[in-house]
Amino acid sequence: PVFAPDAESGTGIPKSPSEARRSEAMEELEHTCPQPRLTLTAPAPFADERSCQCQAPHEKLTIAQARLGTPADRPVRVYADGIFDLFHSGHARALMQAKTLFPNSYLLVGVCSDDLTHKFKGFTVMNETERYEALRHCRYVDEVIRDAPWTLTPEFLEKHKIDFVAHDDIPYSSAGSDDVYKHIKEAGMFVPTQRTEGISTSDIITRIVRDYDVYARRNLQRGYTAKQLNVSFINEKKYRFQNQVDKMKEKVKNVEEKSKEFVYKVEEKSHDLIQKWEEKSREFIGNFLELFGPDGAWKQMFQERSGRMLQAFSPRQSPNSSPTRGRSPSRSPSPPWLINKASPPSSPKAASASLSSMSEGDEDEK
């Protein structure tokens, strides 16, 4: 008999010959599981278009075995599900963690339909088709399962040959259960991921509701009708009036900016003009001082001209070598108008005496 190892006791239990032959035949089969996407030139396929038809035994793996790595033809099939409404970076980061849990992972993403979501959670912004397409174009997704179940059943796990389920570790209470992943955790198939703080679908919807007037005004301005936005007649008029006020504010703001720019240019030019005027004035003052200053060229020129005039009015003395005609050597040839110039006559009589002496002298020379 052929013995198969007992997982609990470690001892072998006998197998029938038919079971042994079936086991050997199954071991000879090769895995034909779909491989992870290597290129991103096309969206991820849907599960009903590319289901796993592998006939090889899909043995159960432990988390430790999966982290050590599996053969290339036997990727670890990881499943992540959700609503994925208003697909955002928090969703993408969760899927990235699920994809990189193991060295060789094939990520299947289940998206719940509108009927299930509206029944157990509430109304969505995006319909199911839009949510399917959003997941197909995420780089970490290898396959999308449409109309995924709200609670995972053994039949669903077996059908898609799911090894592990990835989700954040916070208990998810829904559909009358405190935690819809409780049985998955008990089976050792649950692998936790971390939530991204600061971003969620509820946060985005809260922002839209908080700023509803802003978005309604913007969409009215872009051409949407009040009926499409579910806006009343009075609110429509109010929003359109506010849009007109905003346009006027924008125009005033543009005018203010242009006027500020003009004033700045004028100030800049006036500053340049003042600077040039100061330079020219300094140059003018310097030139003026060079001409009319204490030591300027005008003073020197005036002194030179005054000296020339004095020389013109006062003839030069005759040279010492000139002959004297009957004049005593001791007598200096001074002009008659310079005689007694230093000491003017003190009285009319003295003046007449000097004139008589000058006439006598002239007669002597004659």
Side-chain angles (χ1 to χ4, degrees):
V2 179
F3 292 90
D6 187 355
E8 296 181 357
S9 62
T11 60
I13 54 176
K15 276 187 176 183
S16 63
S18 59
E19 290 177 349
R21 285 193 296 272
R22 192 182 307 112
S23 177
E24 291 176 358
M26 293 293 287
E27 288 177 358
E28 292 177 357
L29 293 175
E30 294 182 357
H31 284 280
T32 58
C33 300
Q35 296 298 310
R37 289 197 302 162
L38 299 178
T39 59
L40 301 177
T41 57
F46 290 114
D48 50 5
E49 299 173 355
R50 185 186 181 183
S51 59
C52 183
Q53 303 294 335
C54 181
Q55 300 297 324
H58 204 79
E59 67 279 2
K60 185 177 180 180
L61 297 172
T62 64
I63 294 177
Q65 289 174 340
R67 285 177 177 168
L68 288 175
T70 57
D73 59 347
R74 178 24 181 126
V76 180
R77 295 174 67 85
V78 181
Y79 176 78
D81 60 355
I83 309 302
F84 301 105
D85 192 20
L86 297 176
F87 188 80
H88 51 75
S89 61
H91 295 141
R93 287 176 63 86
L95 296 177
M96 178 186 69
Q97 295 177 59
K99 176 68 174 178
T100 58
L101 285 171
F102 308 111
N104 185 21
S105 297
Y106 185 88
L107 181 60
L108 301 94
V109 179
V111 184
C112 299
S113 64
D114 287 343
D115 292 338
L116 279 177
T117 305
H118 298 167
K119 179 180 178 181
F120 292 110
K121 190 170 184 178
F123 191 74
T124 58
V125 178
M126 300 169 64
N127 59 43
E128 60 184 27
T129 303
E130 294 169 337
R131 293 184 285 116
Y132 296 154
E133 288 298 320
L135 267 298
R136 291 186 69 196
H137 292 83
C138 178
R139 63 184 301 180
Y140 309 112
V141 179
D142 294 307
E143 188 175 311
V144 175
I145 301 176
R146 292 180 284 195
D147 194 13
W150 198 261
T151 302
L152 302 179
T153 61
E155 293 77 16
F156 179 82
L157 298 174
E158 177 65 26
K159 175 183 176 182
H160 296 282
K161 296 181 173 58
I162 296 170
D163 294 308
F164 300 101
V165 176
H167 201 272
D168 61 80
D169 203 13
I170 301 173
Y172 194 84
S173 58
S174 180
S177 174
D178 295 335
D179 188 2
V180 295
Y181 298 104
K182 182 179 179 181
H183 63 290
I184 303 296
K185 295 176 181 177
E186 292 175 350
M189 298 175 62
F190 186 84
V191 185
T193 57
Q194 298 295 323
R195 292 179 64 89
T196 302
E197 297 297 332
I199 184 69
S200 67
T201 302
S202 298
D203 291 339
I204 296 174
I205 294 175
T206 301
R207 296 179 205 170
I208 297 172
V209 173
R210 180 190 62 196
D211 301 326
Y212 169 76
D213 290 348
V214 177
Y215 298 126
R217 287 167 51 192
R218 184 180 69 181
N219 288 335
L220 280 173
Q221 194 172 4
R222 290 181 175 179
Y224 287 89
T225 64
K227 184 177 181 180
Q228 289 174 322
L229 297 173
N230 195 23
V231 173
S232 64
F233 177 80
I234 296 176
N235 285 335
E236 179 189 3
K237 297 303 179 184
K238 181 182 74 173
Y239 293 150
R240 294 192 183 280
F241 176 75
Q242 289 174 344
N243 287 336
Q244 294 297 326
V245 172
D246 289 344
K247 286 182 179 179
M248 291 299 299
K249 287 181 179 179
E250 189 67 24
K251 289 182 180 179
V252 172
K253 184 178 179 182
N254 292 334
V255 171
E256 288 180 352
E257 290 178 354
K258 290 181 179 179
S259 62
K260 287 180 180 179
E261 185 178 356
F262 175 75
V263 170
Y264 175 76
K265 289 182 178 179
V266 170
E267 290 178 351
E268 191 175 18
K269 289 184 178 180
S270 63
H271 179 73
D272 293 340
L273 290 174
I274 291 172
Q275 188 175 2
K276 290 179 180 179
W277 183 84
E278 290 177 351
E279 292 175 357
K280 292 292 183 182
S281 63
R282 283 194 295 267
E283 184 180 353
F284 175 78
I285 293 171
N287 294 335
F288 182 84
L289 292 175
E290 287 180 0
L291 288 174
F292 303 102
D295 299 326
W298 182 259
K299 182 178 180 182
Q300 294 177 2
M301 184 175 64
F302 180 77
Q303 290 176 351
E304 291 177 358
R305 289 187 178 182
S306 62
R308 292 176 183 175
M309 290 176 67
L310 289 174
Q311 290 178 2
F313 286 118
S314 60
R316 296 181 182 179
Q317 297 179 358
S318 59
N320 294 330
S321 61
S322 62
T324 59
R325 290 178 294 180
R327 183 181 300 173
S328 61
S330 60
R331 192 172 179 178
S332 61
S334 299
W337 55 82
L338 293 178
I339 297 172
N340 296 328
K341 185 177 181 182
S343 57
S346 61
S347 61
K349 292 182 178 181
S352 60
S354 62
L355 288 171
S356 61
S357 60
M358 288 174 62
S359 62
E360 290 177 358
D362 293 337
E363 288 177 359
D364 291 342
E365 288 180 1
K366 293 179 181 180

